[in-house]
C-alpha cells in the first residue's frame, strides 16, 4: 500500500433488487486528511458507508486498510471497528441515560466489574486532550447535541481508530456548535486520523475538508482537491450536468397564471423547524423550492401546511387572513401536501388502496359522513384509472405496492380533495423513470386547469421543466428567487452554490 | 446556544442525573412523610418497632420489587412475580409438611430431617423461580414476544398451579415455623410498653435476606458490567447494540434474575406467614410495580435505582399506616391513596420526560 | 382481476380463522367427549316461563360481559397499541354506581330509575375512561401503566361508593336484565350483547371511526398530516371502552342481584386482552376486526366451560389458559414464523432433488 494511505476501496459494486446502488466505485483515504463524500439523494453515499462499516456485504471490489497485507472483508460493524474503522452517525447512537464516561467505555471494557474511578479518569483525560467541553460524570442527555456528537467521536477515537466516518454530523447543530466540532476534527486530523465527512452543507465542506469525492447515481464522478474545485463546479458535478451548453434546455413555454391572482400568501411564516420566510403563489402557477438536501426547502413547505408547529407569521388564502396551525386547518383552506418521506409520513401501509385514496377527502367530509362502500370504490377506481395505478384490487394493502404506485396513491388522495393549492415534496423520489415523467406531466396539466402547485425535487432539470418560478435556499435561508430568463441550470447552480463564491 | 455556554463554564457540582434526581425526590417524600406522621400522630410512629414491622411485613415485597426494578430498567415488565411468589410459598409449605405428592415420597425415602426439609424447600424455591425466569426470559428476549403477554401467562400459570398443587390452604408445622420465624432482637432500638418494660425491637430473618438482596442488587446495578448493560438496553436498545452490548443476553438475564428473586421472595413470604394459600401475595405484582415507580424507576426504562425501590416499598406501607392511624379506617382508603400516589408519581415522571424531550426538540 | 378480488377478500377473513378453528376444535373435542354436551333444551324456570337451557346457552350467556369488554378493548388496542388493564375495576365502579342509584329511592325500583341508574353509571365509567385516555394520549404514558392506577384503586373506589357494604337488590326488572325477560326464552345478557353489536355496527357504518382508529394506530404521524386529530381519537377509544365497562358492570350486578367489589368480573381484563389477541388483532395496534375479538371471547368462554365440564376446578382453569396463551403467541411471533418459513423453503428446495431421484 502506498505510503500515507490508510484506506482504499477499489471497484466496489452493490446491487439491491431492481437497483444498482454502487457500480465500480473507488475511494481513497489518506492519513490525517478530512475527506468529504458528496452527492445528492440516491447517489450511493450511504451505501458506500454501509459497505465500509460492514452493514451491507459488497457484491464485488476490494477494501484494503493500512497495516494489513491482504484485502479485508468486513462482515459486521463490530469487525469494522476491530479494523480501526469507526462511525459516528447522524442520529446519536449513545445512551442518553448514562454518564458521559460510561458512554465512552461501555461494551468495550474487559472484566466484569466496572471501575468508575479509573473510567472517569481516563474519560476526563481524553475529553480534555480533545478539548471537548463535557465532564465525565455528567449525564449524556444533559449535554447539547453537539457535545453528545463529540463524545461519540471521542469514543470512536479511543478505539485505536484509523478511519473515522462522520455521517452528516452537522445537520442538527447551530453555527457555534459546528465550529466546536470542526475544532475537534482538525485536532484529530493533526493526530493522523483519516476522516470521512459526509454532509450536504457546501460551505462546511470548503471550510474544513482537504479533498472531495463526488458520487452520482451510484457511480464515481471523481476525486478532487478542495482548492481546485470551485463551489459551482461541485454543484454541477453533484447534480450531473456539465455547465457548457445547458442554457438551451427546453423550458415550459407558457409562464402560466396571472401573478396578480394570488391564491396563497405568507408573511414571515416560521415553524419550530424553519426560519421566518415570505412566500406567495398565484392561481395556476407552478413554483418550486430548490436547494440541496438540508437547505430548509422541505421544512418551509411543512410550515405552509402546518405539519410542524407554526411559531409565527401571517397567512392569507384568496386574500383573506386565515389561521393555519395544523394540517387540518390547511386542508380546510384547500391546501394539499404530499410529504417528502413517503414511508414515514405518507402511506398507511396496512390499509387498502381504497382507504388510502379516500382518506383525506373523508377527513374533510367529516366524521359523521362516511362515504358508502360504493362511493369509495368508485372514487378509487376513478383515480386508479386516471393515474394508471397498478394494483391487484382496491382491497390490496398499500404497503405491498411498488414505490411509484404508492406515490400515485398518495397523489390521488390529494387530488380527490380538489385542492386549490397542492404541495408536492419530492414526488419523484425513489420511483421509476416512467412514473417520474408521468407525475411531471400531471403537474403541468393540473396547473393548466387552474391549480397552484409547489414542486420540490432534488433533480433541478425536473424543476426547470415544470416550474415558472424557483425559490432558492441555502443553509436554511432563502437566497434568491429566479423567474423567466433566469431559469437556467447555470443560474440555479450559481445561486445554490452561493453567488460569488466560485472566485474564492 | 445556551446549552453550549452552560457546558463550557466549569461548575463544581455535577447536576443530578435522572436516576439521582428521582431517587432524591422519593427519599425526601418518604422522610418528610414519616417525620410529619411522627409529629402529628406520634405514638406508634415514634417507636422504631413501627419501622421494623413494616419491614417484617414487606420483606418479600422488597425482594420482588428489586427483581422488577431490574426488569423495568431494561424497559420490560414482569407481572408474574406475585403468582410465582405465591406458588413458591405453597410448594415450600407442602415440602415442610411432607405432603407434596412426589416430593413427599422422595423426602420420606431420603428420610429428611426437619432442618433438611427447610433446605430442600429453599432449593425448590430457587428452582421454581429460575424456571419461570428461564422460560419467560427466553420467550421475551429470543422470540421477541411482548413481555406483558408472556408474563401475564406466567401469572395465570403460577396462580393456576397453586390450586393444582393443593386445593386446600396449607399450614406449615409449628415446630418448623418456630425455626423459620426466629427473630433477631435489637435491644438498643427497643421501646417501653404500657407497663414500662423495655421491649426490644424485633426483626425477622427475611428482612436480613431482603436487605442483603437490596445491597447485592445495588452493587450489581452500580458496579457490574451486566448491571450497566441493563441501563444501556433500557436507555436505547438500538444504541446499546451499536455500543457493543449483547442486548438479547442482557434482556434474558434481567428476566432470569427477576424470576430467581421471585423464588427467594416466595421463600421469605413463607417464612413470614407459614401458610400456603391460593390468595397469597394477591396483587403483589402491582404493589411491586407501584413501589418501583414511586422509587424513581422510569416506566420507559433506563432510569431507576434499587435503593429508591426500597424506599418506594416503605413509602407505600407508610401511607397505609398513616391512612389507618389518621382515622380513615375504612378499608378502601388504603388503595385509593396508593392509587393517588401512583398517579402523582406517574405524572411527575411524564413531566420530567416531556421537559427533557422539549429540550431536545428546541435544538 | 376477479380472482384477485376474491383472494384479497378471503385474506380479509383469514384473521377470523384462528378463533374459528379454536371454537371448532373445542366443539369436536366436546362432541367426542360427551355427545350430549351441545344439547339445547327448554325448561321452565322459577317464574313458570319456558327458557332455553344447555351448555351452548351457558357459553353464550356467560361470555356476555367478556364479549362486551373485548369490543371496547379492541378499539383501545387498535388506536393506542396498548391495553387497558383497569376494565374489571371500572366495571366494578360502574356496578356500584348502578346499585347506589337503585338503592337511593328506598327500595322502590321503577323502570325509569333503572334507566337513570344505567345512564349515570355509564357517564361515570366514561369519565374514568376519559381519565385513562387523557393519561395515554395527552401525557404519552403507556396504556398499561396509565391504567395501572385505576387497576390499583378502582375496586376500592367501588367499595367506597357503597359505603363499605355489598348491598343486594332484588327486583323483577333487575332479574330480567340478569337472567330472563318474562316470555323471552333467550337470556337477556345475550340480547344485550346483540344490542351492543348492533350499536358498534351502526357506529362504524355511520361514522368514520373505524378508519380513523386504524389510521392512528398504524401511523400516527401520517394520520395527523391527513387532518385526523390523533389525540382525540385515542381519547374517544378509551371513552367507548368506559361505556362498555358500564354495560358489563350492569350485567354482572344484575346477574347476582348484588354488588361485590372484590369479585365482580375479577381477572376479566386479562381475558379481554386475550380475546383481542386470539381474534387475530395485533396487540401493537393498527388494523382491527371486532368480530375477531368477539369470536375470541366466545372461544375463551367455550374453553372455560369445557374445562368445567371436565370437572377441572375453577381455580385451576387459569393454568390451562396460560398454556393456550403461550402456544398462541409463540405460533404468532414473527421470529417463529420466520424460522418456519426458512425450514419450509429448505424442505421445498430439497423436494425437487428427491423427485428427480424418484424419476431416475
Amino acid at each position: 500500500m502506498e505510503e500515507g494511505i490508510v484506506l482504499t476501496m477499489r471497484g466496489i459494486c452493490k446491487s439491491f433488487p431492481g437497483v444498482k446502488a454502487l457500480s465500480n466505485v473507488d475511494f481513497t483515504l489518506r492519513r490525517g486528511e478530512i475527506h468529504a463524500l458528496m452527492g445528492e439523494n440516491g447517489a450511493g453515499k450511504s451505501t458506500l458507508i454501509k459497505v465500509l462499516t460492514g452493514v451491507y456485504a459488497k457484491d464485488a471490489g476490494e477494501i484494503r486498510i493500512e497495516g494489513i497485507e491482504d484485502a479485508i472483508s468486513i462482515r459486521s460493524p463490530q469487525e469494522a471497528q476491530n479494523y480501526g474503522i469507526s462511525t459516528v452517525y447522524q442520529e446519536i447512537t449513545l445512551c442518553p441515560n448514562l454518564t458521559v464516561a460510561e458512554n465512552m467505555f461501555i461494551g468495550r471494557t474487559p472484566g466484569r466489574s466496572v471501575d468508575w474511578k479509573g473510567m472517569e479518569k481516563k474519560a476526563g483525560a481524553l475529553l480534555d486532550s480533545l478539548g471537548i467541553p463535557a465532564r465525565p460524570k455528567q449525564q449524556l442527555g444533559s449535554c447539547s447535541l453537539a457535545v453528545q456528537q463529540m463524545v461519540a467521536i471521542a469514543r470512536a477515537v479511543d478505539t485505536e481508530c484509523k478511519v473515522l466516518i462522520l455521517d452528516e454530523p452537522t445537520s442538527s447543530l447551530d453555527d457555534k456548535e459546528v465550529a466546536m466540532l470542526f475544532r475537534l476534527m482538525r485536532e484529530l486530523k493533526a493526530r493522523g486520523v483519516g476522516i470521512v465527512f459526509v454532509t450536504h452543507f457546501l460551505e462546511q465542506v470548503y471550510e474544513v475538508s482537504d479533498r472531495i469525492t463526488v458520487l452520482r447515481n451510484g457511480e464515481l464522478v471523481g476525486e478532487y482537491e478542495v482548492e481546485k474545485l470551485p463551489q459551482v463546479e461541485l454543484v454541477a458535478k453533484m447534480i450531473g450536468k456539465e455547465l457548457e451548453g445547458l442554457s438551451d434546455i427546453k423550458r415550459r413555454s407558457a409562464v402560466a397564471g396571472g401573478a396578480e391572482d394570488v391564491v396563497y400568501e405568507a408573511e414571515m411564516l416560521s415553524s419550530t423547524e424553519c426560519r421566518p420566510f415570505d412566500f406567495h403563489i398565484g392561481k395556476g402557477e407552478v413554483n418550486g423550492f430548490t436547494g440541496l438536501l438540508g437547505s430548509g426547502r422541505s421544512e418551509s413547505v411543512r410550515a405552509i401546511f402546518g405539519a410542524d408547529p407554526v411559531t409565527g407569521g401571517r397567512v392569507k388564502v384568496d386574500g383573506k387572513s386565515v389561521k393555519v396551525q395544523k394540517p387540518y386547518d390547511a386542508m380546510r383552506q384547500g391546501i394539499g401536501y404530499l410529504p417528502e418521506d413517503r414511508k414515514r409520513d405518507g402511506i398507511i401501509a396496512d390499509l387498502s388502496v381504497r382507504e388510502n385514496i379516500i382518506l383525506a377527502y373523508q377527513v374533510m367530509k367529516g366524521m359523521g359522513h362516511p362515504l358508502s362502500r360504493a362511493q369509495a370504490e368508485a372514487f378509487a377506481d376513478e383515480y386508479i384509472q386516471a393515474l394508471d395505478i397498478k394494483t391487484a384490487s382496491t382491497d390490496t394493502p398499500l404497503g405491498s405496492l411498488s414505490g411509484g404506485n404508492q406515490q400515485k396513491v398518495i397523489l390521488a388522495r390529494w387530488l380527490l380533495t380538489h385542492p386549490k393549492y397542492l404541495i408536492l415534496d419530492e414526488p419523484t423520489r425513489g420511483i421509476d423513470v416512467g412514473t417520474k415523467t408521468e407525475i411531471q406531466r400531471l403537474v403541468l396539466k393540473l396547473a393548466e386547469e387552474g391549480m397552484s402547485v409547489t414542486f420540490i425535487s432534488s433533480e433541478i432539470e425536473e424543476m426547470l421543466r415544470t416550474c415558472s418560478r424557483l425559490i432558492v435556499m441555502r443553509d436554511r435561508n432563502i437566497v434568491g428567487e429566479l423567474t423567466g430568463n433566469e431559469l437556467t441550470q447555470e443560474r440555479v447552480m450559481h445561486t445554490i452554490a452561493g453567488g460569488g463564491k466560485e472566485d474564492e | 446556544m445556551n446549552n453550549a455556554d452552560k457546558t463550557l463554564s466549569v461548575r463544581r457540582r455535577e447536576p443530578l442525573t435522572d436516576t439521582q434526581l428521582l431517587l432524591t425526590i422519593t427519599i425526601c417524600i418518604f422522610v418528610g412523610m414519616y417525620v410529619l406522621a411522627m409529629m402529628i400522630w406520634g405514638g406508634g410512629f415514634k417507636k422504631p418497632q413501627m419501622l421494623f414491622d413494616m419491614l417484617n411485613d414487606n420483606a418479600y415485597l422488597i425482594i420482588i420489587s428489586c427483581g422488577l426494578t431490574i426488569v423495568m430498567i431494561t424497559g420490560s415488565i414482569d407481572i408474574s412475580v406475585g403468582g410465582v411468589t405465591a406458588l413458591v410459598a405453597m410448594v415450600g409449605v407442602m415440602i415442610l409438611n411432607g405432603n407434596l405428592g412426589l416430593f413427599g415420597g422422595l423426602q420420606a425415602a431420603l428420610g429428611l430431617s426437619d432442618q433438611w426439609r427447610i433446605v430442600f424447600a429453599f432449593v425448590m424455591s430457587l428452582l421454581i423461580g429460575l424456571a419461570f425466569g428461564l422460560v419467560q426470559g427466553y420467550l421475551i428476549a429470543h422470540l421477541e414476544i411482548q413481555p406483558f403477554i408472556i408474563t401475564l401467562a406466567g401469572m395465570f400459570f403460577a396462580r393456576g398451579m397453586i390450586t393444582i398443587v393443593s386445593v386446600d390452604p396449607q399450614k406449615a408445622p409449628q415446630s418448623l415455623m418456630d425455626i423459620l420465624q426466629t427473630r433477631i432482637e435489637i435491644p438498643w432500638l427497643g421501646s417501653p410498653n404500657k407497663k414500662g418494660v423495655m421491649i426490644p425491637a424485633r426483626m425477622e430473618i427475611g428482612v436480613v435476606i431482603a436487605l442483603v438482596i437490596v445491597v447485592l442488587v445495588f452493587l450489581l446495578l452500580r458496579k457490574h458490567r451486566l448491571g450497566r448493560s441493563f441501563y444501556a438496553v433500557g436507555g436505547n436498545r438500538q444504541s446499546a447494540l451499536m455500543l457493543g452490548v449483547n442486548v438479547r443476553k442482557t434482556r434474558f438475564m434481567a428476566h432470569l434474575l427477576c424470576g430467581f428473586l421471585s423464588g427467594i421472595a416466595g421463600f421469605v413470604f413463607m417464612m413470614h406467614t407459614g401458610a400456603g394459600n391460593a390468595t397469597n401475595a394477591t396483587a403483589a405484582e402491582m404493589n411491586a410495580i407501584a413501589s418501583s415507580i414511586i422509587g424513581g424507576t422510569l416506566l420507559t426504562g433506563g432510569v431507576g435505582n434499587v435503593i429508591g425501590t426500597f424506599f418506594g416499598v416503605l413509602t407505600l406501607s407508610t401511607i397505609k399506616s398513616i391512612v389507618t392511624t389518621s382515622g380513615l379506617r375504612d378499608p378502601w382508603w388504603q388503595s385509593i391513596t396508593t392509587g393517588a400516589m401512583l398517579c402523582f408519581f406517574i405524572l411527575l415522571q411524564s413531566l420530567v420526560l416531556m421537559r427533557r424531550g422539549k429540550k431536545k426538540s428546541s435544538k | 382481476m376477479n380472482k384477485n378480488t376474491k383472494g384479497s377478500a378471503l385474506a380479509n377473513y383469514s384473521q377470523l380463522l384462528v378463533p374459528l378453528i379454536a371454537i371448532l376444535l373445542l366443539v369436536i373435542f366436546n362432541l367426542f367427549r360427551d355427545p350430549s354436551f351441545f344439547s339445547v333444551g327448554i325448561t321452565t324456570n322459577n317464574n313458570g316461563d319456558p327458557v332455553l337451557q344447555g351448555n351452548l346457552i351457558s357459553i353464550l350467556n356467560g361470555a356476555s360481559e367478556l364479549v362486551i369488554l373485548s369490543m371496547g378493548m379492541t378499539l383501545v388496542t387498535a388506536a393506542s397499541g396498548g391495553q387497558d388493564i383497569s376494565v374489571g375495576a371500572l366495571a366494578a365502579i360502574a356496578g356500584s354506581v348502578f346499585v347506589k342509584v337503585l338503592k337511593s329511592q328506598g327500595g322502590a325500583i321503577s323502570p325509569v330509575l333503572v334507566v337513570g341508574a344505567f345512564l349515570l353509571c355509564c357517564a361515570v365509567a366514561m369519565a374514568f375512561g376519559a381519565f385513562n385516555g387523557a393519561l395515554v394520549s395527552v401525557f404519552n404514558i403507556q396504556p398499561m401503566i396509565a391504567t395501572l392506577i385505576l387497576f390499583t384503586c378502582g375496586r376500592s373506589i367501588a367499595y367506597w361508593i357503597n359505603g363499605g357494604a355489598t348491598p343486594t337488590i332484588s327486583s323483577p326488572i333487575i332479574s330480567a336484565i340478569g337472567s330472563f325477560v318474562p316470555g323471552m326464552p333467550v337470556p337477556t345478557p345475550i340480547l344485550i350483547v346483540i344490542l351492543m353489536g348492533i350499536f358498534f355496527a351502526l357506529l362504524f357504518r355511520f361514522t368514520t371511526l373505524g378508519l380513523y382508529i386504524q389510521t392512528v394506530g398504524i401511523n400516527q404521524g401520517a394520520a395527523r398530516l391527513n387532518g385526523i386529530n390523533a389525540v382525540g381519537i385515542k381519547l374517544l377509544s378509551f371513552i367507548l371502552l368506559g361505556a362498555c365497562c358500564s354495560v358489563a358492570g350492569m350485567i354482572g350486578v344484575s346477574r347476582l342481584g348484588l354488588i361485590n367489589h372484590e369479585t365482580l368480573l375479577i381477572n376479566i381484563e386479562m381475558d379481554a386482552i386475550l380475546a383481542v389477541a386470539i381474534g387475530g388483532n395485533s396487540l401493537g395496534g393498527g388494523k382491527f376486526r371486532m368480530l375477531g375479538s368477539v369470536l375470541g371471547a366466545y372461544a375463551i368462554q367455550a374453553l372455560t366451560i369445557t374445562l368445567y365440564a371436565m370437572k377441572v376446578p375453577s381455580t385451576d382453569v387459569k393454568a390451562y389458559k396460560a398454556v393456550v396463551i403461550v402456544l398462541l403467541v409463540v405460533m404468532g411471533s414473527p421470529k417463529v414464523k420466520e424460522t418456519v418459513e426458512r425450514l419450509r423453503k429448505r424442505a421445498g428446495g430439497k423436494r425437487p432433488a428427491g423427485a428427480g431421484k424418484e424419476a431416475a
Side-chain angles (χ1 to χ4, degrees), chain C residues 112-135:
Chain C
V112 179
L113 186 64
V114 174
V115 172
F118 171 69
L119 289 180
L120 188 68
C121 85
C122 196
V124 169
M126 281 160 86
F128 276 107
F131 168 74
N132 282 337
L135 288 179

Side-chain angles (χ1 to χ4, degrees), chain B residues 125-185:
Chain B
S125 305
L126 299 189
L127 286 181
I128 293 174
L130 274 178
F132 270 88
L134 203 76
V135 174
Q136 295 182 158
Y138 177 78
L139 292 174
I140 292 166
H142 292 265
L143 295 189
E144 292 170 17
I145 304 174
Q146 286 187 18
F148 183 81
I149 298 298
I150 289 300
T151 56
L152 171 72
M155 177 180 105
F156 276 8
F157 188 72
R159 292 267 174 209
M161 280 307 285
I162 296 175
T163 45
I164 292 176
V165 171
S166 161
V167 181
D168 306 313
Q170 298 276 326
K171 193 101 190 101
Q174 198 52 45
S175 58
L176 287 176
M177 284 317 293
D178 288 342
I179 304 176
L180 288 174
Q181 288 185 328
T182 312
R183 289 174 180 217
I184 302 163
E185 302 204 339

Side-chain angles (χ1 to χ4, degrees), chain A residues 35-36 43 45 58 66 76 90 120 183 211 223 246 248 275 280 285 304 310 328 360 382 426 450 501:
Chain A
H35 195 134
K45 286 171 308 192
K58 59 183 188 300
E66 185 187 28
S76 73
Q90 180 181 5
E120 275 159 11
R183 216 163 34 236
R211 219 177 280 267
E223 190 200 270
L246 275 184
D248 57 302
R275 297 178 184 164
H280 67 91
E285 181 184 348
I304 293 173
V310 174
Y328 185 67
E382 181 190 336
E426 296 258 27
K501 281 278 158 60

Side-chain angles (χ1 to χ4, degrees), chain B residues 148 152 163 248 286 332 335, chain C residues 144 148 156 160 270 316:
Chain B
F148 183 81
L152 171 72
T163 45
R248 226 174 238 192
M286 295 306 162
W332 52 82
S335 46
Chain C
M144 198 208 112
L148 177 66
S156 290
W160 181 29
M270 308 305 175
D316 297 2

Side-chain angles (χ1 to χ4, degrees), chain A residues 305-307 327-328 331 343-351 355 359-360 362-363 366-368 370 392-393 395 413-414, chain C residues 1 4-5 8-9 12 204-209 211-212 214-215 218-219 221-228 233 236 287:
Chain A
F305 191 65
Y328 185 67
M331 288 162 66
K343 280 230 163 58
R344 200 190 64 202
D345 296 333
I347 64 171
I348 314 292
D350 295 343
L351 289 188
E355 286 161 315
L359 186 60
Q362 179 66 77
V363 169
M367 218 169 151
S393 77
D395 267 326
R413 178 192 292 170
W414 289 110
Chain C
M1 192 72 186
N4 276 331
T5 323
S8 60
N12 262 346
F204 291 138
R205 176 74 182 72
F206 289 107
T207 74
T208 60
L209 190 69
L211 179 67
Y212 285 12
Q214 299 187 57
T215 308
I218 295 167
N219 190 337
R224 208 181 80 81
L225 285 179
N226 283 294
I228 296 176
I233 292 294
L236 188 60
K287 263 191 103 78

Side-chain angles (χ1 to χ4, degrees), chain A residues 33-98:
Chain A
E33 80 167 353
I34 298 175
H35 195 134
L37 186 59
M38 306 282 298
E40 273 290 84
N41 261 337
K45 286 171 308 192
S46 51
T47 313
L48 187 69
I49 299 289
K50 282 181 176 155
V51 166
L52 183 54
T53 51
V55 177
Y56 296 153
K58 59 183 188 300
D59 295 343
E62 60 167 36
I63 303 174
R64 285 172 186 279
I65 194 148
E66 185 187 28
I68 294 171
E69 276 302 302
D70 303 317
I72 58 174
S73 68
I74 303 170
R75 285 178 296 254
S76 73
Q78 205 59 47
E79 267 190 37
Q81 223 165 70
N82 295 342
Y83 283 119
I85 302 169
S86 296
T87 317
V88 175
Y89 294 95
Q90 180 181 5
E91 284 104 39
I92 291 173
T93 49
L94 298 177
C95 295
N97 57 326
L98 303 182

Side-chain angles (χ1 to χ4, degrees), chain A residues 31 67 73 92 100 109 129 145 161 166 174 188 207 228 234 294 298 304 344-345 356 371 405 465 503:
Chain A
R31 194 184 301 143
S73 68
I92 291 173
V100 168
T109 36
S129 79
L145 278 181
C161 110
L166 302 178
D174 62 34
L188 293 176
E207 189 181 339
K228 293 179 185 157
L234 171 60
S298 295
I304 293 173
R344 200 190 64 202
D345 296 333
N356 267 286
L371 292 171
N405 283 307
R465 221 174 289 144
D503 305 325

